[in-house]
Amino acid sequence: MNKAVILAGGQGKRMNADIPKPLFTVLGEPMLEWVISACENAGISDICVVKGYQAEMLEEYLGGRYTTVLQAERLGTGHAVMQAIPFLEEGLGDDPDGNTLVLCGDAPFIDPDTISESLMLHKQNGNAVTVITADLPNPKGYGRILRTSGGGISGIVEQKDATEEQRAIREVNSGTYWFRTADLIGLLGKITDNNVQKEYYLTDTIAIAISEGKTAGAFKSENADIIRGANNRRDLFELNEYARREVINKHLDNGVEFVCMDGIIIDRSVEIGQGTQILPGTILRHGTSIGKNCVIGPNTTIDGCVVGNSVEMNTAQAYDSVIEDNVVIGPYVHIRPESRVKKGARIGDFVEIKNSVIGEDTAAAHLIYIGDSDVGRKVNVGAGTVTVNFNGIAKSRCEIGDYSFIGSNTSLIAPVRLGKGVYTAAGTTVTRDLPDYALAIDRGELKVKEGYTLRKLNTKK
Ligand code: UD1
Ligand code: CA
């Protein structure tokens, strides 16, 4: 079984932050998660994450999903892998030719195909180590690949240790390598910190392997983007921008319409149906799926929602909810978690829905709060209606039956249940259950004092 070790111990000093660098996000997901999912999608789930700086944060994020080891002091990438030796040794007796992939937690775009193809080359050539490389127009900051006259590799030299001549080399180390696990353990024992940075470089394993008569090779990726990493916030910004464009391009290819890309951020897990139009300022997060022929945006955030076909959402926020076909939402609507807006409903403007079901073809069109409620079908909820779901201590539910007509400025004091076909007069405060087809009207006698204004003005004179 193949293993992976992900290096995530570094602080990322140049990020100017107090969280571990691999937890910085690209399109809403930590870079570490991108690396983990590339491993998983390449069929590697025996993963060890090396933690160091702010290790607790990393542990908390992983929530026990994978093995972690602590690198108490950051003495370099080689030193980081040394901490994982017990993990590497596990099961080695049964699988003496097993291989381990080592990756950096700050280079999110490594992809499953590159991982699998490089493993094939690694095995075919019987390599002790195979490094994944690419040519970069601007290789500054990366380790450079040293080639022999025959085209093989002889080692890797870090930017800081490189001569002028070596710095001109454009082929760089991605920071991802396949090692024959048994060889890796042996090689780790031989690296030293004899270099400009006084660090134990993992990259030194290559020259050492060759000096021992083992074979080392390189797998050169055609696509240099897969090796892009983030050492500072500018890099991180570039990674986000790159990923953002890639995702939008994928949706364009699938028949989604974008007039422009301004302010549009779509997480890579989001699905969008053909013929849907995404307008500026739309942010689609975590696991959202959107059906066909919708118009989403402008200025709309949808997070963790399932949205049906032919839905319109304008200037809305929706979280962890279901929005069925042909619903029209907005402008200025907030759909809070655990809500379901059924087919053909119309919500907005200035409406908040929380933990509620809105029935088919129901309209809640202006200035309304519906919380912890079940609203039936073809209900008309008048402007200014409020479900009074919280008494300061506990939350309770309201129920409104099908075909009801809730007059403007009705307050429903929960818990309360309205049957079907119920009317409430404008301004009514409903404090008890109403049977089917009832009218509730709660009004003091209207007093009219004629000539009041004139009298008031006269006394003042
Ligand atoms: C490293 C490589 C370089 C390569 C580049 C690709 C070495 C010596 N250099 O350089 O050849 O081109 O990656 O991005 O390996 N880390 C630890 N513990 C440490 C040091 C680092 O866990 O003590 C982790 C970091 O969190 C990071 C990864 O290892 O995820 C790479 O470390 P970083 O300091 O960014 O290495 P580079 O200088 O970029
Ligand atoms: Ca780096």
PDB file of all heavy atoms in Angstrom, residues 7-10 21 71 74-77 80 104-106 142-143 156 158 173-175 177 201 203 231, ligand 1:
ATOM      1  N   LEU A   7       4.010  17.609   4.376  1.00  0.00           N
ATOM      2  CA  LEU A   7       4.765  18.506   5.247  1.00  0.00           C
ATOM      3  C   LEU A   7       3.950  19.774   5.499  1.00  0.00           C
ATOM      4  O   LEU A   7       3.649  20.520   4.572  1.00  0.00           O
ATOM      5  CB  LEU A   7       6.103  18.873   4.603  1.00  0.00           C
ATOM      6  CG  LEU A   7       6.944  17.673   4.141  1.00  0.00           C
ATOM      7  CD1 LEU A   7       8.294  18.136   3.642  1.00  0.00           C
ATOM      8  CD2 LEU A   7       7.084  16.651   5.259  1.00  0.00           C
ATOM      9  N   ALA A   8       3.598  19.964   6.757  1.00  0.00           N
ATOM     10  CA  ALA A   8       2.741  21.105   7.090  1.00  0.00           C
ATOM     11  C   ALA A   8       3.188  21.750   8.392  1.00  0.00           C
ATOM     12  O   ALA A   8       2.385  22.320   9.125  1.00  0.00           O
ATOM     13  CB  ALA A   8       1.284  20.650   7.177  1.00  0.00           C
ATOM     14  N   GLY A   9       4.487  21.631   8.687  1.00  0.00           N
ATOM     15  CA  GLY A   9       4.973  22.115   9.980  1.00  0.00           C
ATOM     16  C   GLY A   9       5.403  23.566   9.958  1.00  0.00           C
ATOM     17  O   GLY A   9       5.493  24.211  11.001  1.00  0.00           O
ATOM     18  N   GLY A  10       5.667  24.089   8.766  1.00  0.00           N
ATOM     19  CA  GLY A  10       6.262  25.422   8.664  1.00  0.00           C
ATOM     20  C   GLY A  10       5.306  26.524   9.087  1.00  0.00           C
ATOM     21  O   GLY A  10       4.089  26.373   9.045  1.00  0.00           O
ATOM     22  N   LYS A  21       0.728  27.794   7.740  1.00  0.00           N
ATOM     23  CA  LYS A  21       0.505  28.178   6.340  1.00  0.00           C
ATOM     24  C   LYS A  21      -0.437  27.235   5.577  1.00  0.00           C
ATOM     25  O   LYS A  21      -1.296  27.714   4.834  1.00  0.00           O
ATOM     26  CB  LYS A  21       1.859  28.293   5.616  1.00  0.00           C
ATOM     27  CG  LYS A  21       1.737  28.829   4.220  1.00  0.00           C
ATOM     28  CD  LYS A  21       3.077  29.217   3.609  1.00  0.00           C
ATOM     29  CE  LYS A  21       4.091  28.123   3.652  1.00  0.00           C
ATOM     30  NZ  LYS A  21       5.261  28.417   2.782  1.00  0.00           N
ATOM     31  N   GLN A  71       6.615  17.958  14.627  1.00  0.00           N
ATOM     32  CA  GLN A  71       8.004  18.386  14.453  1.00  0.00           C
ATOM     33  C   GLN A  71       8.183  19.573  15.407  1.00  0.00           C
ATOM     34  O   GLN A  71       7.739  20.684  15.123  1.00  0.00           O
ATOM     35  CB  GLN A  71       8.242  18.821  12.991  1.00  0.00           C
ATOM     36  CG  GLN A  71       9.676  19.188  12.703  1.00  0.00           C
ATOM     37  CD  GLN A  71       9.836  19.875  11.358  1.00  0.00           C
ATOM     38  OE1 GLN A  71       8.887  20.427  10.796  1.00  0.00           O
ATOM     39  NE2 GLN A  71      11.045  19.872  10.828  1.00  0.00           N
ATOM     40  N   ARG A  74      11.515  23.454  13.824  1.00  0.00           N
ATOM     41  CA  ARG A  74      11.513  23.441  12.361  1.00  0.00           C
ATOM     42  C   ARG A  74      12.947  23.498  11.857  1.00  0.00           C
ATOM     43  O   ARG A  74      13.518  24.566  11.726  1.00  0.00           O
ATOM     44  CB  ARG A  74      10.701  24.618  11.806  1.00  0.00           C
ATOM     45  CG  ARG A  74       9.341  24.225  11.318  1.00  0.00           C
ATOM     46  CD  ARG A  74       8.395  23.787  12.409  1.00  0.00           C
ATOM     47  NE  ARG A  74       8.026  24.911  13.255  1.00  0.00           N
ATOM     48  CZ  ARG A  74       7.645  24.790  14.514  1.00  0.00           C
ATOM     49  NH1 ARG A  74       7.608  23.628  15.097  1.00  0.00           N
ATOM     50  NH2 ARG A  74       7.329  25.855  15.207  1.00  0.00           N
ATOM     51  N   LEU A  75      13.485  22.309  11.584  1.00  0.00           N
ATOM     52  CA  LEU A  75      14.877  22.255  11.129  1.00  0.00           C
ATOM     53  C   LEU A  75      14.994  21.853   9.664  1.00  0.00           C
ATOM     54  O   LEU A  75      16.037  21.392   9.238  1.00  0.00           O
ATOM     55  CB  LEU A  75      15.668  21.296  12.020  1.00  0.00           C
ATOM     56  CG  LEU A  75      15.667  21.625  13.522  1.00  0.00           C
ATOM     57  CD1 LEU A  75      16.448  20.585  14.305  1.00  0.00           C
ATOM     58  CD2 LEU A  75      16.241  23.020  13.783  1.00  0.00           C
ATOM     59  N   GLY A  76      13.899  22.021   8.915  1.00  0.00           N
ATOM     60  CA  GLY A  76      13.971  21.767   7.483  1.00  0.00           C
ATOM     61  C   GLY A  76      13.080  20.618   7.028  1.00  0.00           C
ATOM     62  O   GLY A  76      12.555  19.856   7.838  1.00  0.00           O
ATOM     63  N   THR A  77      12.926  20.522   5.686  1.00  0.00           N
ATOM     64  CA  THR A  77      11.991  19.536   5.119  1.00  0.00           C
ATOM     65  C   THR A  77      12.452  18.096   5.387  1.00  0.00           C
ATOM     66  O   THR A  77      11.621  17.210   5.594  1.00  0.00           O
ATOM     67  CB  THR A  77      11.833  19.756   3.605  1.00  0.00           C
ATOM     68  OG1 THR A  77      13.136  19.899   3.019  1.00  0.00           O
ATOM     69  CG2 THR A  77      11.030  21.002   3.296  1.00  0.00           C
ATOM     70  N   ALA A  80      11.636  17.305   8.879  1.00  0.00           N
ATOM     71  CA  ALA A  80      10.184  17.105   9.000  1.00  0.00           C
ATOM     72  C   ALA A  80       9.830  15.643   8.672  1.00  0.00           C
ATOM     73  O   ALA A  80       9.065  15.005   9.393  1.00  0.00           O
ATOM     74  CB  ALA A  80       9.435  18.061   8.067  1.00  0.00           C
ATOM     75  N   CYS A 104       4.220  18.864  -0.159  1.00  0.00           N
ATOM     76  CA  CYS A 104       4.199  20.074   0.660  1.00  0.00           C
ATOM     77  C   CYS A 104       2.754  20.516   0.864  1.00  0.00           C
ATOM     78  O   CYS A 104       1.971  20.551  -0.089  1.00  0.00           O
ATOM     79  CB  CYS A 104       4.939  21.213  -0.026  1.00  0.00           C
ATOM     80  SG  CYS A 104       6.691  20.886  -0.194  1.00  0.00           S
ATOM     81  N   GLY A 105       2.456  20.897   2.079  1.00  0.00           N
ATOM     82  CA  GLY A 105       1.104  21.367   2.387  1.00  0.00           C
ATOM     83  C   GLY A 105       0.812  22.761   1.867  1.00  0.00           C
ATOM     84  O   GLY A 105      -0.301  23.262   2.034  1.00  0.00           O
ATOM     85  N   ASP A 106       1.771  23.386   1.207  1.00  0.00           N
ATOM     86  CA  ASP A 106       1.540  24.755   0.725  1.00  0.00           C
ATOM     87  C   ASP A 106       1.560  24.843  -0.792  1.00  0.00           C
ATOM     88  O   ASP A 106       1.745  25.910  -1.356  1.00  0.00           O
ATOM     89  CB  ASP A 106       2.574  25.713   1.329  1.00  0.00           C
ATOM     90  CG  ASP A 106       4.003  25.410   0.891  1.00  0.00           C
ATOM     91  OD1 ASP A 106       4.235  24.318   0.321  1.00  0.00           O
ATOM     92  OD2 ASP A 106       4.884  26.259   1.107  1.00  0.00           O
ATOM     93  N   TYR A 142      12.597  28.565  -5.858  1.00  0.00           N
ATOM     94  CA  TYR A 142      12.466  27.105  -5.891  1.00  0.00           C
ATOM     95  C   TYR A 142      13.839  26.433  -5.946  1.00  0.00           C
ATOM     96  O   TYR A 142      14.821  27.027  -6.390  1.00  0.00           O
ATOM     97  CB  TYR A 142      11.669  26.669  -7.129  1.00  0.00           C
ATOM     98  CG  TYR A 142      10.202  27.024  -7.088  1.00  0.00           C
ATOM     99  CD1 TYR A 142       9.756  28.261  -7.529  1.00  0.00           C
ATOM    100  CD2 TYR A 142       9.261  26.107  -6.638  1.00  0.00           C
ATOM    101  CE1 TYR A 142       8.398  28.589  -7.511  1.00  0.00           C
ATOM    102  CE2 TYR A 142       7.906  26.411  -6.609  1.00  0.00           C
ATOM    103  CZ  TYR A 142       7.483  27.667  -7.053  1.00  0.00           C
ATOM    104  OH  TYR A 142       6.152  27.981  -7.035  1.00  0.00           O
ATOM    105  N   GLY A 143      13.879  25.162  -5.529  1.00  0.00           N
ATOM    106  CA  GLY A 143      15.081  24.361  -5.722  1.00  0.00           C
ATOM    107  C   GLY A 143      15.243  24.052  -7.203  1.00  0.00           C
ATOM    108  O   GLY A 143      14.263  23.778  -7.896  1.00  0.00           O
ATOM    109  N   ILE A 156      19.520  18.351  -6.429  1.00  0.00           N
ATOM    110  CA  ILE A 156      18.703  19.562  -6.376  1.00  0.00           C
ATOM    111  C   ILE A 156      19.482  20.579  -5.563  1.00  0.00           C
ATOM    112  O   ILE A 156      20.031  20.248  -4.508  1.00  0.00           O
ATOM    113  CB  ILE A 156      17.342  19.302  -5.688  1.00  0.00           C
ATOM    114  CG1 ILE A 156      16.535  18.249  -6.466  1.00  0.00           C
ATOM    115  CG2 ILE A 156      16.540  20.597  -5.539  1.00  0.00           C
ATOM    116  CD1 ILE A 156      15.229  17.855  -5.814  1.00  0.00           C
ATOM    117  N   GLU A 158      19.155  24.361  -3.699  1.00  0.00           N
ATOM    118  CA  GLU A 158      18.219  25.404  -3.273  1.00  0.00           C
ATOM    119  C   GLU A 158      18.677  26.758  -3.793  1.00  0.00           C
ATOM    120  O   GLU A 158      19.878  27.006  -3.943  1.00  0.00           O
ATOM    121  CB  GLU A 158      18.130  25.436  -1.739  1.00  0.00           C
ATOM    122  CG  GLU A 158      17.444  24.215  -1.150  1.00  0.00           C
ATOM    123  CD  GLU A 158      16.072  23.970  -1.732  1.00  0.00           C
ATOM    124  OE1 GLU A 158      15.194  24.843  -1.578  1.00  0.00           O
ATOM    125  OE2 GLU A 158      15.857  22.923  -2.381  1.00  0.00           O
ATOM    126  N   ASN A 173      12.113  22.021  -8.580  1.00  0.00           N
ATOM    127  CA  ASN A 173      11.569  20.961  -7.740  1.00  0.00           C
ATOM    128  C   ASN A 173      10.178  21.363  -7.259  1.00  0.00           C
ATOM    129  O   ASN A 173      10.002  22.420  -6.657  1.00  0.00           O
ATOM    130  CB  ASN A 173      12.522  20.800  -6.541  1.00  0.00           C
ATOM    131  CG  ASN A 173      11.939  19.929  -5.448  1.00  0.00           C
ATOM    132  OD1 ASN A 173      11.019  19.150  -5.676  1.00  0.00           O
ATOM    133  ND2 ASN A 173      12.493  20.061  -4.253  1.00  0.00           N
ATOM    134  N   SER A 174       9.193  20.512  -7.508  1.00  0.00           N
ATOM    135  CA  SER A 174       7.824  20.814  -7.076  1.00  0.00           C
ATOM    136  C   SER A 174       7.667  20.658  -5.574  1.00  0.00           C
ATOM    137  O   SER A 174       6.705  21.154  -4.995  1.00  0.00           O
ATOM    138  CB  SER A 174       6.845  19.861  -7.760  1.00  0.00           C
ATOM    139  OG  SER A 174       7.068  18.537  -7.267  1.00  0.00           O
ATOM    140  N   GLY A 175       8.597  19.920  -4.956  1.00  0.00           N
ATOM    141  CA  GLY A 175       8.416  19.602  -3.529  1.00  0.00           C
ATOM    142  C   GLY A 175       7.606  18.325  -3.328  1.00  0.00           C
ATOM    143  O   GLY A 175       7.309  17.956  -2.204  1.00  0.00           O
ATOM    144  N   TYR A 177       7.551  14.178  -4.192  1.00  0.00           N
ATOM    145  CA  TYR A 177       8.464  13.099  -4.608  1.00  0.00           C
ATOM    146  C   TYR A 177       7.861  11.754  -4.260  1.00  0.00           C
ATOM    147  O   TYR A 177       7.155  11.625  -3.259  1.00  0.00           O
ATOM    148  CB  TYR A 177       9.801  13.137  -3.860  1.00  0.00           C
ATOM    149  CG  TYR A 177      10.289  14.478  -3.400  1.00  0.00           C
ATOM    150  CD1 TYR A 177       9.656  15.161  -2.362  1.00  0.00           C
ATOM    151  CD2 TYR A 177      11.414  15.057  -3.990  1.00  0.00           C
ATOM    152  CE1 TYR A 177      10.116  16.400  -1.934  1.00  0.00           C
ATOM    153  CE2 TYR A 177      11.880  16.299  -3.553  1.00  0.00           C
ATOM    154  CZ  TYR A 177      11.214  16.961  -2.535  1.00  0.00           C
ATOM    155  OH  TYR A 177      11.661  18.188  -2.110  1.00  0.00           O
ATOM    156  N   TYR A 201      17.825  19.397   4.525  1.00  0.00           N
ATOM    157  CA  TYR A 201      17.053  19.466   3.281  1.00  0.00           C
ATOM    158  C   TYR A 201      16.648  18.060   2.826  1.00  0.00           C
ATOM    159  O   TYR A 201      17.519  17.203   2.644  1.00  0.00           O
ATOM    160  CB  TYR A 201      17.898  20.032   2.136  1.00  0.00           C
ATOM    161  CG  TYR A 201      18.285  21.498   2.201  1.00  0.00           C
ATOM    162  CD1 TYR A 201      19.311  21.956   1.367  1.00  0.00           C
ATOM    163  CD2 TYR A 201      17.635  22.412   3.022  1.00  0.00           C
ATOM    164  CE1 TYR A 201      19.683  23.293   1.363  1.00  0.00           C
ATOM    165  CE2 TYR A 201      18.008  23.753   3.020  1.00  0.00           C
ATOM    166  CZ  TYR A 201      19.028  24.188   2.196  1.00  0.00           C
ATOM    167  OH  TYR A 201      19.408  25.496   2.179  1.00  0.00           O
ATOM    168  N   THR A 203      15.747  17.499  -0.064  1.00  0.00           N
ATOM    169  CA  THR A 203      16.259  17.460  -1.437  1.00  0.00           C
ATOM    170  C   THR A 203      17.639  16.816  -1.538  1.00  0.00           C
ATOM    171  O   THR A 203      18.012  16.305  -2.593  1.00  0.00           O
ATOM    172  CB  THR A 203      16.341  18.903  -1.974  1.00  0.00           C
ATOM    173  OG1 THR A 203      16.918  19.731  -0.954  1.00  0.00           O
ATOM    174  CG2 THR A 203      14.974  19.423  -2.304  1.00  0.00           C
ATOM    175  N   ASN A 231       4.279  31.154  -0.701  1.00  0.00           N
ATOM    176  CA  ASN A 231       5.213  31.485   0.369  1.00  0.00           C
ATOM    177  C   ASN A 231       4.849  32.797   1.043  1.00  0.00           C
ATOM    178  O   ASN A 231       5.323  33.099   2.126  1.00  0.00           O
ATOM    179  CB  ASN A 231       6.647  31.534  -0.154  1.00  0.00           C
ATOM    180  CG  ASN A 231       7.151  30.133  -0.492  1.00  0.00           C
ATOM    181  OD1 ASN A 231       6.856  29.175   0.209  1.00  0.00           O
ATOM    182  ND2 ASN A 231       7.877  30.012  -1.592  1.00  0.00           N
TER     183      ASN A 231
HETATM  184  C1  UD1 B   1      11.006  23.449  -0.795  1.00  0.00           C
HETATM  185  C2  UD1 B   1      12.134  22.670  -1.465  1.00  0.00           C
HETATM  186  C3  UD1 B   1      12.414  23.291  -2.827  1.00  0.00           C
HETATM  187  C4  UD1 B   1      11.143  23.265  -3.655  1.00  0.00           C
HETATM  188  C5  UD1 B   1       9.977  23.951  -2.921  1.00  0.00           C
HETATM  189  C6  UD1 B   1       8.714  23.730  -3.661  1.00  0.00           C
HETATM  190  C7  UD1 B   1      13.617  21.860   0.298  1.00  0.00           C
HETATM  191  C8  UD1 B   1      14.900  22.043   1.007  1.00  0.00           C
HETATM  192  N1  UD1 B   1      13.316  22.752  -0.654  1.00  0.00           N
HETATM  193  O1  UD1 B   1      11.482  24.763  -0.585  1.00  0.00           O
HETATM  194  O2  UD1 B   1      13.423  22.574  -3.482  1.00  0.00           O
HETATM  195  O3  UD1 B   1      11.355  23.901  -4.894  1.00  0.00           O
HETATM  196  O4  UD1 B   1       9.833  23.395  -1.605  1.00  0.00           O
HETATM  197  O5  UD1 B   1       7.654  24.442  -3.082  1.00  0.00           O
HETATM  198  O6  UD1 B   1      12.896  20.911   0.585  1.00  0.00           O
HETATM  199  N2  UD1 B   1       8.112  22.315   6.401  1.00  0.00           N
HETATM  200  C9  UD1 B   1       8.026  21.628   7.583  1.00  0.00           C
HETATM  201  N3  UD1 B   1       9.045  21.667   8.461  1.00  0.00           N
HETATM  202  C10 UD1 B   1      10.187  22.378   8.229  1.00  0.00           C
HETATM  203  C11 UD1 B   1      10.285  23.084   7.014  1.00  0.00           C
HETATM  204  C12 UD1 B   1       9.237  23.029   6.117  1.00  0.00           C
HETATM  205  O7  UD1 B   1       7.017  20.961   7.836  1.00  0.00           O
HETATM  206  O8  UD1 B   1      11.073  22.346   9.092  1.00  0.00           O
HETATM  207  C13 UD1 B   1       7.004  22.259   5.432  1.00  0.00           C
HETATM  208  C14 UD1 B   1       6.360  23.599   5.183  1.00  0.00           C
HETATM  209  O9  UD1 B   1       5.222  23.790   6.028  1.00  0.00           O
HETATM  210  C15 UD1 B   1       5.918  23.494   3.730  1.00  0.00           C
HETATM  211  C16 UD1 B   1       6.911  22.514   3.121  1.00  0.00           C
HETATM  212  O10 UD1 B   1       7.526  21.834   4.196  1.00  0.00           O
HETATM  213  O11 UD1 B   1       4.618  22.965   3.619  1.00  0.00           O
HETATM  214  C17 UD1 B   1       7.961  23.226   2.283  1.00  0.00           C
HETATM  215  O12 UD1 B   1       8.677  24.095   3.114  1.00  0.00           O
HETATM  216  P1  UD1 B   1       9.161  25.519   2.621  1.00  0.00           P
HETATM  217  O13 UD1 B   1       9.897  26.161   3.732  1.00  0.00           O
HETATM  218  O14 UD1 B   1       8.061  26.270   2.001  1.00  0.00           O
HETATM  219  O15 UD1 B   1      10.217  25.060   1.522  1.00  0.00           O
HETATM  220  P2  UD1 B   1      10.739  25.896   0.306  1.00  0.00           P
HETATM  221  O16 UD1 B   1      11.795  26.824   0.775  1.00  0.00           O
HETATM  222  O17 UD1 B   1       9.609  26.471  -0.445  1.00  0.00           O
END
